Structures are given as C-alpha cells and as structure tokens.
Amino acid sequence: MIPALLISITLHELAHGYVAYLLGDNTAKVNKRLTLNPIRHIDFIGFILLLTVGFGWAKPVPINPNNFKNKKEAFLLFLLQALYLIYFSL
C-alpha cells in the first residue's frame, strides 16, 4: 500500500508542476519539484495522517501565475488540470 501511495502522490504533484511548466511557469523546475523523487513531494504530517486516518496531503507544487504565457487562459487550464487529476486519482 505504501509504494502505491508514494507513486500516486509523486505522479500527481509532478503533473501539476509539469503542466505549469508547459504553460510557461518554471517555478517548479527552479525549486526542483519536477522530479520523480517522492521525498521532494511528501509532506511528513500529511503522509502519516494518510496512512493512519485515510486523509492526508502532499507538499503543494509552487506556481507563479505571473509567469504564464497567457495568464487568464493558462491559470484556467492549470485549475482544470488539477480537477482532472483529483477526479481520476480517486
């Protein structure tokens, strides 16, 4: 169970950073969050709660909407991508 959680959390957060990068924001890349290393994405308290209570969280990927090429459309696409990831990760 733990390897599956680590993989899903890592891929989920990597996808957030990668989509932001494709939309013109390199904040996640600069902060070394475009990686498959789960240590970069795991929040210790959130992960422990996920294992014990069934509810938890990961470290949010930093983004800067001011770096998006087309701010309004890109931010909307980023939010829709986040909803898509949440829906299909359940």
Side-chain angles (χ1 to χ4, degrees):
M1 181 171 134
I2 292 176
L5 288 172
L6 289 174
I7 291 169
S8 64
I9 289 170
T10 301
L11 291 177
H12 180 91
E13 294 303 323
L14 176 64
H16 281 302
Y18 188 66
V19 168
Y21 182 72
L22 291 177
L23 295 172
D25 179 27
N26 68 343
T27 307
K29 185 176 183 178
V30 169
N31 289 313
K32 299 179 181 163
R33 297 294 300 278
L34 290 181
T35 179
L36 288 172
N37 181 359
I39 302 295
R40 294 297 224 169
H41 301 288
I42 300 297
D43 180 89
F44 180 72
I45 295 172
F47 191 67
I48 295 298
L49 284 173
L50 184 61
L51 293 175
T52 57
V53 182
F55 175 80
W57 58 87
K59 291 179 190 172
V61 172
I63 65 160
N64 184 354
N66 293 324
N67 291 339
F68 289 151
K69 294 171 187 163
N70 185 338
K71 290 178 182 57
K72 288 182 182 180
E73 288 179 16
F75 195 66
L76 178 63
L77 284 173
F78 183 79
L79 292 175
L80 290 174
Q81 169 265 340
L83 292 173
Y84 180 82
L85 283 174
I86 290 169
Y87 180 75
F88 284 104
S89 67
L90 295 177

